[in-house]
Amino acid sequence: MPCRTNEELQNLVEEAKREAPAGKVADYIPALEKANSSDLSAAIFYPDGTCYSAGDIKDQFTLQSISKVISLALALMDRGEEKVFSLVGQEPTGDPFNSIVKLESHSPNKPLNPMINAGALAVTHLIAGVDVTERLERLLCFIQDLTGNHSITYNKDIAESEFETAFLNRALCYFMKQHCVIDEDVEELMNLYTKQCAIEMNSLDLARMGCVLAMDGVDPLNGRQLIPFHIARICKTFMVTCGMYNASGEFAIKVGIPAKSGVSGGVMGAVPGRFGIGIYGPALDEKGNSIAGLKLLDIMSKKYSLSMF
Ligand code: GLU
């Protein structure tokens, strides 16, 4: 039975933390640069409601790319598989998350999967609602249900900082607009997308969200099916094939669980049928994954036999 005390998890965190000095916090979104590169916190959430945590669990961080899993679930619930996958593919790219190259070289000109920025932008464009305010509100309510934390909101400073500097994401949007993948105003979409990425929580909230995915979309505490079974399955499959940027293959071999990371240093893990994991460690490796977070997952996977393969 993996990790049943805070002390046990704390020991693993201390060991993994030694990797942090080799990483670097993301700085292409200026507000993310303020993070403390030596931080590492982690939480595990079991379906019976027990949870364990280590490090400074009060640390809040923005979801960044982790939000792409949740926006995908919502867009699939809103529009159905056929519509979503008519605009976004299902294949890993092997390219960095913000790469534009395959949008042009691949035919048809639709993004290859929902975990790269182009695909995530196309997915966010599909979230239903009359305007950005309503669409954001729906996404926030969904995330509040998934975490059981109804105070969750987005970080305005980080959203603004990304909105002001997201030229590459705007380029991806204009390219997709030209090719009829998206049909909304690019600034409106960027407004929603940057707020989505800036949704803020702590490792414990993230672990609980991971636990819902691990339990096939069911809230373990009240039995509500928050995400339909087949959609939770799609989300977890993308987490395995593309969740850890262009290191997803290596991660599947080393750790072997569905996981999604973000450039803030967050990582959400879902150990199928067993528990959720939330990690925050802002020092990143060259692919954009939390360097100490990866180490921690590697240690945990070996110690507790977590790999599903
Ligand atoms: N908001 C970030 C972007 O679009 C998310 C990237 C990430 O976490 O991978 O660049």
Side-chain angles (χ1 to χ4, degrees), residues 38-52:
S38 60
D39 281 350
L40 183 64
S41 65
I44 294 180
F45 195 97
Y46 288 97
D48 65 1
T50 53
C51 46
Y52 299 94

Side-chain angles (χ1 to χ4, degrees), residues 213 216 227-238:
L213 283 165
D216 297 323
I227 304 174
F229 175 85
H230 72 286
I231 293 180
R233 192 173 144 261
I234 293 171
C235 291
K236 279 185 282 185
T237 311
F238 279 120

Side-chain angles (χ1 to χ4, degrees), residues 28-29 64-65 68 97 117 162 169 193 197 245 261-263:
Y28 77 98
I29 298 173
Q64 299 303 331
S65 268
K68 295 171 180 174
F97 65 97
N117 282 4
E162 179 170 11
N169 281 340
Y193 175 79
C197 289
Y245 302 115
S261 62
V263 289

Side-chain angles (χ1 to χ4, degrees), residues 59-80:
D59 274 349
Q60 296 260 332
F61 53 91
T62 55
L63 289 179
Q64 299 303 331
S65 268
I66 302 169
S67 69
K68 295 171 180 174
V69 177
I70 310 305
S71 55
L72 174 64
L74 189 56
L76 284 165
M77 286 157 72
D78 283 349
R79 311 282 186 185

Side-chain angles (χ1 to χ4, degrees), residues 62-232:
T62 55
L63 289 179
Q64 299 303 331
S65 268
I66 302 169
S67 69
K68 295 171 180 174
V69 177
I70 310 305
S71 55
L72 174 64
L74 189 56
L76 284 165
M77 286 157 72
D78 283 349
R79 311 282 186 185
E81 274 178 69
E82 203 182 325
K83 174 71 182 172
V84 171
F85 295 124
S86 70
L87 299 179
V88 184
Q90 303 181 340
E91 303 304 329
T93 66
D95 296 326
F97 65 97
N98 54 5
S99 174
I100 199 165
V101 62
K102 289 218 171 77
L103 258 189
E104 189 172 21
S105 63
H106 195 263
S107 176
N109 298 102
K110 65 179 193 183
L112 273 170
N113 69 66
M115 299 294 121
I116 51 172
N117 282 4
L121 286 157
V123 164
T124 297
H125 140 268
L126 290 173
I127 293 175
V130 290
D131 54 18
V132 167
T133 310
E134 186 182 319
R135 290 154 79 201
L136 178 66
E137 196 50 39
R138 290 189 61 243
L139 181 63
L140 277 170
C141 285
F142 187 42
I143 290 184
Q144 289 170 353
D145 282 346
L146 291 168
T147 55
N149 179 350
H150 290 270
S151 66
I152 281 176
T153 185
Y154 70 96
N155 180 312
K156 289 193 177 53
D157 292 341
I158 295 182
E160 270 167 29
S161 178
E162 179 170 11
F163 186 81
E164 280 160 16
T165 53
F167 306 114
L168 191 48
N169 281 340
R170 282 184 174 83
L172 295 169
C173 288
Y174 280 113
F175 190 93
M176 290 192 289
K177 196 162 177 176
Q178 176 70 38
H179 291 278
C180 303
V181 176
I182 63 170
D183 59 9
E184 76 172 302
D185 178 80
V186 170
E187 292 306 300
E188 294 270 290
L189 177 55
M190 286 306 303
N191 182 11
L192 178 56
Y193 175 79
T194 50
K195 287 176 176 155
Q196 165 193 318
C197 289
I199 293 172
E200 200 169 40
M201 61 179 64
N202 64 30
S203 313
L204 198 50
D205 298 317
L206 193 59
R208 179 154 171 187
M209 199 153 72
C211 187
V212 174
L213 283 165
M215 302 313 287
D216 297 323
V218 176
D219 182 332
L221 297 191
N222 58 26
R224 269 176 72 204
Q225 187 85 45
L226 297 175
I227 304 174
F229 175 85
H230 72 286
I231 293 180

Side-chain angles (χ1 to χ4, degrees), residues 9 13 16 39-44 54 57 59 61-63 66 201-207 244 251 257 259-262 264-269 276-282 290-298 300:
L9 188 57
V13 163
D39 281 350
L40 183 64
S41 65
I44 294 180
I57 206 70
D59 274 349
F61 53 91
T62 55
L63 289 179
I66 302 169
M201 61 179 64
N202 64 30
S203 313
L204 198 50
D205 298 317
L206 193 59
M244 302 300 283
F251 183 82
I257 62 166
K260 181 74 198 91
S261 62
S264 53
V267 189
M268 173 175 71
I277 304 173
I279 295 176
Y280 172 59
S290 168
I291 195 161
L294 278 189
K295 180 69 182 174
L296 179 60
L297 287 166
D298 188 16
M300 287 173 76

